[in-house]
Amino acid sequence: MKIVSASQTHKIDEYTISHEPVTSIDLMERAATAFCDWFMQYYFNVNRIKIVCGPGNNGGDGLAIARILHSYSYKVDVYTVLPTEKTSKDFDINLQRLPSSISVQQITSQSELLQFHAEDIIIDALFGSGLNRPLDGLAADIVQAINQAKTIIAVDIPSGLFADTNNSKEDVIIKASQTIAFQLPKLSFMLPQNAEFVGDWHLVDIGLHPTAIAQASTNYFYTDTSEAITYLKKRSKFSHKGSNGHALLIAGSYGMMGAAILSAQACLRSGAGKLTLHAPKHANDLIQSTIPEALFSADPDEYLSTTEWTEDLLKNYSAIGIGPGLGVGAKVLFSIRSIIEHSSSIPLIIDADGINNLSTPEGRPLLEKLPANTILTPHPKEFQKLLNRSWQNDYEKLDLLREFSVKHQVIVCLKGAHTAVALTDGSIHFNSTGNPGMGTGGSGDVLTGIITALLAQKYSPTHAALFGVYLHGLAGDIAAKEKSIYAMIASDLTDNLPKAFLAITDLSTQKS
């Protein structure tokens, strides 16, 4: 799914109007109907709905929503905020269509400001995605009043929030409980800095023309279920452990073997035909007893993985994962350097302490030697250390992410809500699965194991990264339903990988 700019959204609307063809007012009616269909699934037997409408087409949406909800016996009050006399044509049409039984109060000055109660359900239809300047004056005062309510539902985008550029910290913005967006998500929805404004967001289909969407050029994408199911590789009836790949996972150190175990279990649960776990020799008994399906390769060092890897040692592996619980230091960096220098033909993923070693002054030169399409999976703090700098806002972070991926020709999975997968072509793909319960120690180790397994099965690095991140989040979503987001631990993700694969397999079969 594409994430397009506000100006592109306007062009898609215009294309739909001229090529479907459909009138502008009828497209607005379609959007309002889709909003109401969603609203009525979750809100019923409510008596305090207040719809606040601005003078433009977002306000027109709000007026149409008021009429439709009223027709279903909802009690709605409408407030029009008109700081100027200029209103859009479709706003005027929908204002005229309101039945007389709907209360409409016009707010033209600060003296007419309303007191919104915490129990009110506020539908925010003040300003849409075309907004290009901060709110001030009457509009800002109205937003601050609305924000006193507990339940605020934004129409398409919270008023005051820019769709694809940075807001300043001083900007006045609706703090929505939920945002119902039309057809395509906004870039601003993907960024942590906007979470308090966007709330939980949902997409409703309003029938925008597929040709217009296809023609829109963008560097931003959203990996949803329809995209993820296309990545699943079907297995041959005659496949065997040899054809399903042999993964090498280099992980663990004294006191950190849990990370290695989590990653190894996830790798096996994600379909690798064989797995060799290389770890300090003291871990032999632990690994043999907890992961009997894995082969154990003992490092000569009692506490760290310090092996010097050669092409001959690596030649039998179809993918290498390195980093979980590995430790940081000169001996470990020496081992990582040997892997980078001798694994140019083997897909490679580097996580956790693998990245931390590359972030040291001694390790940073190795970034220039990473094989093309190596996958890195940092969280934001690890990425800052890798860059040796921070960022002012999330938009700058995306720019730095893209620049790093293109410069080094590596794939970077920047972990978090809507994990951002930056590809070597400059595109960034945000993930649709996952939940706050995954913010727990070891969750990243599980992701490393998943992606390592997919690489071993000959998924391309691009598909392994995108599909692996999606599966990881989907397993987390299934775990959250069973355990709650408060009681989840990392091993719950691995335990639910079978259900995640079953869900994807079922959907893929249905599509076929």
Side-chain angles (χ1 to χ4, degrees):
M1 181 181 292
K2 291 183 176 181
I3 301 173
V4 298
S5 67
S7 61
Q8 287 175 310
T9 299
H10 180 66
K11 291 178 181 178
I12 292 170
D13 287 347
E14 289 183 331
Y15 188 100
T16 303
I17 290 167
S18 61
H19 287 77
E20 186 169 335
V22 61
T23 63
S24 176
I25 191 66
D26 286 340
L27 184 60
M28 182 175 286
E29 188 76 6
R30 194 186 292 174
T33 300
F35 178 98
C36 291
D37 287 344
W38 178 91
F39 183 91
M40 290 186 290
Q41 288 183 64
Y42 301 99
Y43 294 91
F44 35 85
N45 298 325
V46 292
N47 297 314
R48 301 181 68 107
I49 302 174
K50 296 183 177 180
I51 304 179
V52 186
C53 303
N57 280 352
N58 194 249
D61 291 329
L63 293 171
I65 288 167
R67 172 171 40 80
I68 295 168
L69 289 180
H70 177 77
S71 73
Y72 284 95
S73 300
Y74 285 85
K75 186 179 185 309
V76 297
D77 294 321
V78 172
Y79 303 88
T80 59
V81 181
L82 306 176
T84 67
E85 296 181 358
K86 186 177 180 180
T87 54
S88 73
K89 178 182 176 182
D90 290 341
F91 174 96
D92 293 337
I93 292 173
N94 272 317
L95 184 61
Q96 293 169 7
R97 288 180 175 180
L98 286 181
S100 59
S101 52
I102 293 181
S103 168
V104 180
Q105 181 172 337
Q106 187 176 108
I107 303 174
T108 58
S109 67
Q110 291 181 338
S111 64
E112 298 168 323
L113 283 178
L114 297 171
Q115 292 295 319
F116 294 103
H117 300 285
E119 297 78 15
D120 292 335
I121 294 176
I122 310 295
I123 295 179
D124 161 39
L126 273 170
F127 300 99
S129 60
L131 186 73
N132 56 16
R133 62 180 181 84
L135 300 182
D136 56 15
L138 179 62
D141 291 338
I142 282 285
V143 166
Q144 289 175 330
I146 290 173
N147 281 341
Q148 303 307 306
K150 291 181 180 177
T151 304
I152 306 170
I153 304 173
V155 178
D156 198 35
I157 189 170
S159 294
L161 181 66
F162 299 148
D164 44 59
T165 56
N166 188 56
N167 284 88
S168 73
K169 292 181 179 178
E170 297 75 27
D171 289 353
V172 178
I173 303 169
I174 285 287
K175 295 180 179 179
S177 313
Q178 294 168 309
T179 298
I180 313 306
F182 298 143
Q183 191 101 18
L184 299 171
K186 314 292 190 287
L187 179 60
S188 57
F189 295 0
M190 307 296 161
L191 306 181
Q193 70 183 43
N194 296 324
E196 66 174 316
F197 309 117
V198 178
D200 295 326
W201 60 271
H202 314 268
L203 295 179
V204 293
D205 191 340
I206 64 171
L208 294 177
H209 205 292
T211 300
I213 296 173
Q215 290 176 350
S217 176
T218 181
N219 284 322
Y220 297 108
F221 299 86
Y222 186 61
T223 305
D224 60 2
T225 302
S226 63
E227 178 74 14
I229 61 176
T230 66
Y231 299 144
L232 181 67
K233 281 179 174 283
K234 290 184 170 57
R235 287 196 169 181
S236 163
K237 176 181 178 180
F238 298 100
S239 65
H240 50 83
K241 66 181 181 181
S243 59
N244 292 327
H246 187 174
L248 171 65
L249 185 62
I250 304 167
S253 57
Y254 188 82
M256 291 292 291
M257 285 310 302
I261 291 170
L262 285 167
S263 193
Q265 289 172 333
C267 184
L268 288 164
R269 280 294 186 195
S270 299
K274 291 192 291 183
L275 168 64
T276 293
L277 175 57
H278 182 87
K281 64 181 180 181
H282 82 273
N284 178 66
D285 291 348
L286 175 66
I287 298 303
Q288 295 294 329
S289 60
T290 56
I291 322 172
E293 300 89 350
L295 301 169
F296 181 69
S297 168
D299 194 278
D301 195 289
E302 184 74 21
Y303 304 109
L304 299 168
S305 291
T306 61
T307 295
E308 180 179 6
W309 296 91
T310 64
E311 289 184 13
D312 191 57
L313 288 174
L314 296 173
K315 66 182 180 181
N316 293 323
Y317 299 109
S318 45
I320 304 170
I322 182 168
L326 200 60
V328 178
K331 290 182 178 181
V332 179
L333 181 60
F334 173 80
S335 182
I336 293 173
R337 179 183 288 108
S338 69
I339 293 168
I340 291 173
E341 291 175 348
H342 297 103
S343 64
S344 59
S345 61
I346 306 171
L348 176 65
I349 173 173
I350 303 176
D351 179 40
D353 280 343
I355 293 172
N356 289 331
N357 276 283
L358 294 179
S359 300
T360 63
E362 299 78 14
R364 193 162 284 113
L366 289 176
L367 294 173
E368 306 297 333
K369 297 183 178 181
L370 290 174
N373 290 305
T374 293
I375 299 172
L376 305 177
T377 56
H379 56 59
K381 287 294 185 183
E382 289 171 340
F383 188 53
Q384 284 184 350
K385 288 194 289 186
L386 201 57
L387 294 175
N388 199 27
R389 62 162 295 179
S390 59
W391 43 80
Q392 296 298 313
N393 56 68
D394 286 337
Y395 289 92
E396 183 183 5
K397 177 184 69 179
L398 291 182
D399 290 338
L400 293 171
L401 178 62
R402 178 185 295 105
E403 291 169 7
F404 183 91
S405 182
V406 172
K407 175 184 177 181
H408 296 290
Q409 286 296 285
V410 295
I411 296 170
V412 183
C413 303
L414 186 58
K415 293 181 288 196
H418 300 305
T419 290
V421 181
L423 303 182
T424 59
D425 63 0
S427 64
I428 297 178
H429 299 245
F430 296 93
N431 187 47
S432 63
T433 56
N435 62 80
M438 296 171 68
T440 184
S443 180
D445 303 322
V446 173
L447 177 62
T448 301
I450 294 170
I451 295 177
T452 302
L454 297 176
L455 289 172
Q457 294 168 82
K458 294 185 170 54
Y459 282 76
S460 71
T462 292
H463 287 178
L466 294 174
F467 191 39
V469 167
Y470 181 90
L471 277 170
H472 182 246
L474 180 58
D477 289 340
I478 296 169
K481 292 178 181 178
E482 298 179 351
K483 307 287 187 180
S484 87
I485 62 172
Y486 304 101
M488 285 169 57
I489 57 176
S491 58
D492 293 330
L493 306 182
T494 301
D495 291 344
N496 281 286
L497 277 170
K499 292 181 181 178
F501 273 104
L502 283 171
I504 290 292
T505 302
D506 289 345
L507 288 170
S508 180
T509 301
Q510 292 171 19
K511 185 175 181 180
S512 300

